[in-house]
Amino acid sequence: QVHLVESGGGLVQAGGSLRLSCGASESITSIFVMAWHRQAPGKERELVATITNGGSTNYADSVKGRFTISRDNAKNTVYLQMNSLKPEDTAVYYCKAQLLLRAYWGQGTQVTVSS
């Protein structure tokens, strides 16, 4: 079992920044892909960003140029730096660890961006 705990959500003004953290219960070097997803009421869940154990990243078109996913292997932590936040970024953000046979999810953290 991989346990994930997100933190760093909150309320920010449009144009502001926020950094989310996802702490994992085991070394993230053994996890092929770490990802951030988000879901707002009435919206389908969206894949926001991924980072592999090789360090490659990808992003949803809606966040490219504004969000950055990174990792600190020594701290077993993955981050999502969110800049130039927009009201449409408002959602519950979930951390996911994708292993070979299954995925593990965190509990989610609320991000609210006011206009």
Side-chain angles (χ1 to χ4, degrees):
Q1 297 289 312
V2 178
H3 298 281
L4 305 171
V5 179
E6 300 102 330
S7 62
L11 174 64
V12 297
Q13 291 279 341
S17 297
L18 205 61
R19 188 176 77 160
L20 306 182
S21 299
C22 173
S25 62
E26 66 180 68
S27 174
I28 58 175
T29 61
S30 66
I31 302 170
F32 182 57
V33 177
M34 298 292 297
W36 288 96
H37 296 246
R38 67 186 183 185
Q39 187 167 26
K43 304 288 186 180
E44 64 182 24
R45 188 168 61 182
E46 176 186 17
L47 176 62
V48 175
T50 64
I51 185 166
T52 71
N53 57 10
S56 63
T57 61
N58 61 47
Y59 300 91
D61 288 342
S62 59
V63 307
K64 284 180 179 176
R66 300 188 298 118
F67 290 12
T68 303
I69 188 170
S70 62
R71 66 185 184 186
D72 185 333
N73 291 338
K75 297 180 179 179
N76 290 341
T77 301
V78 174
Y79 303 96
L80 186 68
Q81 178 66 47
M82 305 184 294
N83 298 325
S84 301
L85 283 162
K86 305 174 181 179
E88 52 262 45
D89 295 319
T90 295
V92 177
Y93 284 71
Y94 297 93
C95 181
K96 183 183 77 174
Q98 181 67 59
L99 280 71
L100 181 63
L101 298 180
R102 66 161 293 175
Y104 296 86
W105 294 85
Q107 82 286 350
T109 186
Q110 176 71 48
V111 172
T112 302
V113 184
S114 62
S115 60

